[in-house]
Amino acid sequence: EPEVTQTPSHQVTQMGQEVILRCVPISNHLYFYWYRQILGQKVEFLVSFYNNEISEKSEIFDDQFSVERPDGSNFTLKIRSTKLEDSAMYFCASSEGAGRPGEQYFGPGTRLTVT
Amino acid sequence: GENVEQHPSTLSVQEGDSAVIKCTYSDSASNYFPWYKQELGKGPQLIIDIRSNVGEKKDQRIAVTLNKTAKHFSLHITETQPEDSAVYFCAAISRDDKIIFGKGTRLHILP
C-alpha cells in the first residue's frame, strides 16, 4: 500500500538555525499539507499546497516558514530561524483531491527539538 | 471557528471489554467527522468517518455515533484487542474544509 514518508524521523537543532523537513507524498496525489503537533496539544493545520503554490495557510505559518516542491517527488517545510516553541511533531499529508479532507494520508512525522 | 473537545485523554480497558471515546464540536455547520488512529512511530490513519446525515456507522468492531442536536460524536470499540492500543483522534471538518482535531485519547488495552 502506498504511503507518505518523512525524513528525518527526529531532528535536533539549535535556536536560530534553519531546518528543512522532507516529505515524499503518495505519487499520484496532487494536494500536500503540513501539520504540527506540540507535545500534549492538538494536531494543527499549517499549510496546504497545490499546483506549485500555497493554497491556504494558518496564522501559525508566518514568514519563518516556507514550503517547496523542489522536484516531482519531494515536498519540504523550511523553518528559517528556529525558536524553542517550534519544537513539535511535524506531519506531512497528501490527498488525491481537495474535496475529502478526511482522506488525507499522513506520514509518520518528524520530531523537531529546538534547544 | 470550529473547536473540538475530546475525552478522556487516557483510557485503560481490559482486553475484550469495550472502549468509548467522546467528542464535542462547536460549529453546527460541520458535516463530516473522521476518526484517526495513531500507532507508535506512525502518522494518524483514518479508521472510520461519519457524515452529518447519518446517526450511526459501523465497521466490524468499530462504530461511530453522531448526535447533531447535541453536537456530540463518539467512537465505540467492542471486543478490544491488544492491537487496538494507540492514540485516537476525533476531528471535524470546518467550514473552510480544514481538519480540526481533538487532543487525542491514549487507549491502553490491558491483558
Side-chain angles (χ1 to χ4, degrees):
Chain A
E1 186 178 334
E3 56 183 21
V4 177
T5 59
Q6 289 185 244
T7 53
S9 56
H10 190 191
Q11 173 91 44
V12 181
T13 190
Q14 288 193 324
M15 197 166 53
Q17 295 296 305
E18 175 184 287
V19 293
I20 297 176
L21 310 183
R22 300 179 194 281
C23 170
V24 179
I26 294 173
S27 61
N28 64 331
H29 285 185
L30 302 176
Y31 295 80
F32 314 114
Y33 312 84
W34 283 101
Y35 291 83
R36 178 180 83 175
Q37 184 183 25
I38 295 172
L39 190 64
Q41 298 187 26
K42 300 181 180 187
V43 177
E44 301 171 290
F45 169 79
L46 290 178
V47 65
S48 61
F49 190 87
Y50 169 70
N51 201 26
N52 280 320
E53 60 183 22
I54 291 174
S55 313
E56 288 181 281
K57 58 183 181 179
S58 72
E59 60 275 8
I60 302 168
F61 194 89
D62 61 22
D63 293 343
Q64 297 284 13
F65 292 90
S66 62
V67 289
E68 195 177 31
R69 188 148 162 86
D71 52 46
S73 59
N74 290 284
F75 178 51
T76 62
L77 174 68
K78 183 193 290 186
I79 309 175
R80 255 179 281 282
S81 176
T82 49
K83 304 187 282 284
L84 293 176
E85 54 265 37
D86 293 327
S87 294
M89 196 76 169
Y90 289 81
F91 292 105
C92 171
S94 69
S95 63
E96 200 169 348
R100 298 278 302 267
E103 290 181 355
Q104 291 176 23
Y105 290 79
F106 286 80
T110 292
R111 181 170 297 284
L112 176 65
T113 302
V114 182
T115 61
Chain B
E2 176 63 280
N3 184 47
V4 175
E5 297 295 332
Q6 182 172 350
H7 301 279
S9 55
T10 307
L11 178 62
S12 295
V13 171
Q14 210 70 40
E15 184 179 347
D17 289 350
S18 295
V20 181
I21 301 170
K22 298 185 179 184
C23 291
T24 61
Y25 62 100
S26 60
D27 188 350
S28 56
S30 293
N31 60 11
Y32 178 67
F33 306 92
W35 284 87
Y36 296 86
K37 177 182 181 183
Q38 185 180 15
E39 296 175 290
L40 199 61
K42 296 185 180 180
Q45 304 294 317
L46 179 70
I47 55 171
I48 195 167
D49 55 20
I50 190 167
R51 296 197 174 276
S52 61
N53 57 352
V54 174
E56 183 173 350
K57 182 175 178 180
K58 193 172 179 183
D59 182 3
Q60 298 180 6
R61 296 186 296 108
I62 296 174
V64 289
T65 58
L66 172 64
N67 181 331
K68 278 198 70 181
T69 305
K71 300 201 197 77
H72 290 175
F73 58 117
S74 302
L75 176 73
H76 304 250
I77 306 174
T78 57
E79 299 169 25
T80 52
Q81 299 169 4
E83 55 265 34
D84 295 330
S85 292
V87 178
Y88 292 81
F89 293 97
C90 63
I93 305 306
S94 67
R95 289 171 189 252
D96 54 356
D97 280 343
K98 299 279 190 309
I99 305 177
I100 308 300
F101 288 88
K103 271 196 175 184
T105 296
R106 186 172 295 279
L107 177 63
H108 299 277
I109 306 301
L110 307 171

